[in-house]
Amino acid sequence: MRPFPCLAVSAGLALTVLSAVPATADYSALSARGTTPGPPNYSLAEDNRAGSQIAAVEGVHGVPDHGRYAAEGQTLGHDVSGHQGAVDWPAAAGAGAKFVYVKATEGTGFTNPQFGQQYNGAHGAGLVRGAYHFARPDVSGGAEQANYFVDNGGGWAGDGRTLPGALDVEYNPYSDDKCYGRDAAGMVAWIKDFSDTYARRTGRAPAIYTSTSWWRKCTGDSPAFGGANPLWLARYAPEIGPLPAGWAHQSIWQFADAGTLPGDQNYFNGTEDRVTAMAGA
C-alpha cells in the first residue's frame, strides 16, 4: 500500500477554521433549491456529476481485479449526485460502502436538490462522507465558487467522519472548448484561487478530482497541487495508469461509473482507518 498523501494546507494559508460545517448539519432546506434560471447556462447541471464528461470523452476500458485491490487493503466507496435521486443508504452500507462524496454545487448557480437526503443520509448510515463542487471556470472566479460551495454544504468539520471538500475539474459539458476558455496558466490560477479560498474558509485544502488526460490538456500537467491537495483520480480501466504531475499516488481512484453501489465506484488508497485519517485533522 502506498503512503498516505500530505494533507498540509498550502504555505502561507491561515489554518483557523472560519466556516467549518458540523457533521450533523441539516441541509434538507437545500433540497428545494436547484438551478437558477437564465445565463449562465446550468441546463445540464442535474446530470453533471463526477466523471460524466470523463466517461464521455475518454471512454470506459474495463474494470479492475477487485480481489487484488481488496487484498491490497483498498477501501470501497462511491460518489453520488442529484442524478441518482434519493439513495437507500442502509442498502449502500450493507453492500460494502465505507465512504461517499456527494455533489453539492456547480458554478455559482446550482445546488443539488437531493443534497440533504444524500449527505445527511450517508452520515446516518455510518459512512464517512464529503461534498464536491463541479467546477465552472467559464462563469465566475475560483474564489467565488469556493465560497458558494462552502456556503451551500461543502464545508469541513474535524470530526473524523467528514472528508474535506473536493473540486471536480473535468471536460466542459457546455462547449466544445473542454478547458472552459482558459489557457493552462489561467486554469492553474483558477484552481489555486479556489483551493486557497477553500483552505482559508475551512482550514483544509480541498481534494482535487480530475483525470490525467484532462489535467495534461487543460493545466499543462501542472505539478503545483501535489503537495497539499489529495488526488481523487478518474480512470475507468483495470489499472489506474499514470498520475498527473506533482502527485506520487492517489488518495481515491474512481474506477467505474456504475457498479454494486449507487453512482460511481471508488477505491480509497488504504484501509478504512486511512479514510478516517483523511477525514480528521
Side-chain angles (χ1 to χ4, degrees):
M1 183 178 69
R2 291 170 177 152
F4 194 73
C6 173
L7 297 179
V9 177
S10 303
L13 293 180
L15 293 178
T16 303
V17 177
L18 299 180
S19 185
V21 177
T24 56
D26 183 1
Y27 292 108
S28 57
L30 296 180
S31 299
R33 301 181 67 173
T35 53
T36 299
N41 183 6
Y42 289 102
S43 61
L44 304 175
E46 191 67 35
D47 287 329
N48 290 338
R49 55 199 184 278
S52 57
Q53 305 312 305
I54 291 168
V57 175
E58 298 180 17
V60 176
H61 307 287
V63 296
D65 177 346
H66 297 298
R68 168 193 163 188
Y69 285 98
E72 290 180 357
Q74 304 276 303
T75 302
L76 184 66
H78 58 138
D79 60 90
V80 298
S81 69
H83 182 78
Q84 275 73 47
V87 174
D88 183 341
W89 289 108
K98 301 300 183 183
F99 70 93
V100 66
Y101 266 104
V102 178
K103 181 178 178 179
T105 50
E106 177 177 320
T108 47
F110 177 84
T111 57
N112 171 12
Q114 295 289 337
F115 185 73
Q117 191 276 341
Q118 293 175 346
Y119 193 73
N120 293 331
H123 182 267
L127 277 68
V128 178
R129 49 71 191 279
Y132 76 86
H133 174 80
F134 192 95
R136 290 290 305 277
D138 57 326
V139 301
S140 55
E144 185 178 356
Q145 291 192 31
N147 283 321
Y148 184 77
F149 178 45
V150 173
D151 291 343
N152 288 279
W156 173 76
D159 57 2
R161 306 299 299 172
T162 305
L163 294 163
L167 173 65
D168 173 1
V169 280
E170 58 182 282
Y171 302 96
N172 183 0
Y174 296 95
S175 168
D176 290 336
D177 182 346
K178 298 307 180 185
C179 299
Y180 299 89
R182 293 179 179 267
D183 62 14
M187 184 63 73
V188 170
W190 192 96
I191 295 169
K192 185 176 187 303
D193 201 20
F194 183 102
S195 179
D196 288 354
T197 301
Y198 187 87
R200 280 193 290 269
R201 288 287 305 271
T202 68
R204 288 292 299 272
I208 291 178
Y209 170 95
T210 194
S211 74
T212 298
S213 294
W214 185 91
W215 194 260
R216 289 174 174 173
K217 176 181 177 65
C218 295
T219 75
D221 208 19
S222 170
F225 300 94
N229 302 82
L231 174 64
W232 178 11
L233 191 76
R235 177 172 164 79
Y236 308 138
E239 302 283 346
I240 195 166
L243 302 180
W247 282 284
H249 47 270
Q250 82 286 355
S251 293
I252 302 171
W253 171 25
Q254 187 191 72
F255 63 83
D257 60 357
T260 58
L261 300 176
D264 304 306
Q265 314 296 291
N266 295 269
Y267 277 126
F268 190 92
N269 188 19
T271 52
E272 191 174 350
D273 65 310
R274 303 312 299 157
V275 179
T276 304
M278 183 170 165

